[in-house]
Amino acid sequence: MAEGMKNVVLIGFMGTGKTSVGRLLAGRLGCAFHDLDKKIEEQHGMSIPAMFAEHGEPYFRAREKEAVRAAAERTNLVIATGGGTVKDPENVALLRQNGVIVALTADVDTILRRTAARGARPVLDHADAGDRRAAVVRLLEERRALYEDADITVDTSGRSPLEVAEYIVQATRIWRK
């Protein structure tokens, strides 16, 4: 990405590939990869699950907004957002000012498979197997309109992160200028 080009902002539900696709995409575009959740964890010295457990979701969402504001001021980034970042319209507006919003989607079975590990997904970790499916379906429905507001949407089900990254390189070509 040349000097001053727009950011590519990856939004989407947990398990849709924002981090794995984001890393590859940043490499293909020649820019930095910026994982909002990792930046929040580094800055505050604790994991997001620990933040949820010790301080609650409102505390985490406030830290997330700070991280969004800082990232949105920069250029030449591929930004991977947390799954719930789009719940705050101000976050989306900030990210859109200097970026093209790309929603990554996946079907429920793909999401369940990709998020099977416990401990990293505070929103799902308390549910048993049947409840996890119900929780994913419910949350996807709650956020559907938020994800549909993206500039570009890519279904990652059955596609490798590299395939998705290559598609985004082509799809965002006109936006990044």
Side-chain angles (χ1 to χ4, degrees), residues 54-70:
E54 292 181 33
H55 303 290
E57 186 173 358
Y59 174 87
F60 167 72
R61 295 297 173 199
R63 306 297 70 80
E64 181 178 60
K65 188 184 288 278
E66 293 165 1
V68 164
R69 192 172 288 115

Side-chain angles (χ1 to χ4, degrees), residues 17-36:
K18 296 180 300 291
T19 300
S20 54
V21 169
R23 282 194 183 105
L24 291 167
L25 183 60
R28 298 284 296 129
L29 295 174
C31 61
F33 176 64
H34 192 91
D35 184 314
L36 282 177

Side-chain angles (χ1 to χ4, degrees), residues 147-170:
Y147 298 142
E148 287 175 350
D149 194 37
D151 300 309
I152 297 166
T153 301
V154 185
D155 186 348
T156 66
S157 305
R159 295 168 93 176
S160 74
L162 185 58
E163 285 177 277
V164 175
E166 287 297 329
Y167 177 86
I168 295 169
V169 167
Q170 298 308 316

Side-chain angles (χ1 to χ4, degrees), residues 37-117:
D37 285 351
K38 291 288 176 237
K39 296 289 182 189
I40 294 165
E41 289 178 340
E42 290 167 8
Q43 187 171 5
H44 297 281
M46 66 174 27
S47 70
I48 289 170
M51 270 186 223
F52 267 73
E54 292 181 33
H55 303 290
E57 186 173 358
Y59 174 87
F60 167 72
R61 295 297 173 199
R63 306 297 70 80
E64 181 178 60
K65 188 184 288 278
E66 293 165 1
V68 164
R69 192 172 288 115
E73 291 174 357
R74 298 178 56 192
T75 57
N76 301 323
L77 297 177
V78 171
I79 301 170
T81 64
T85 304
V86 296
K87 288 169 45 177
D88 184 334
E90 187 180 336
N91 285 343
V92 178
L94 285 166
L95 291 165
R96 182 166 265 139
Q97 284 176 0
N98 197 28
V100 54
I101 308 289
V102 178
L104 301 184
T105 63
D107 61 55
V108 173
D109 288 329
T110 298
I111 290 169
L112 287 168
R113 190 171 54 256
R114 291 177 182 168
T115 61

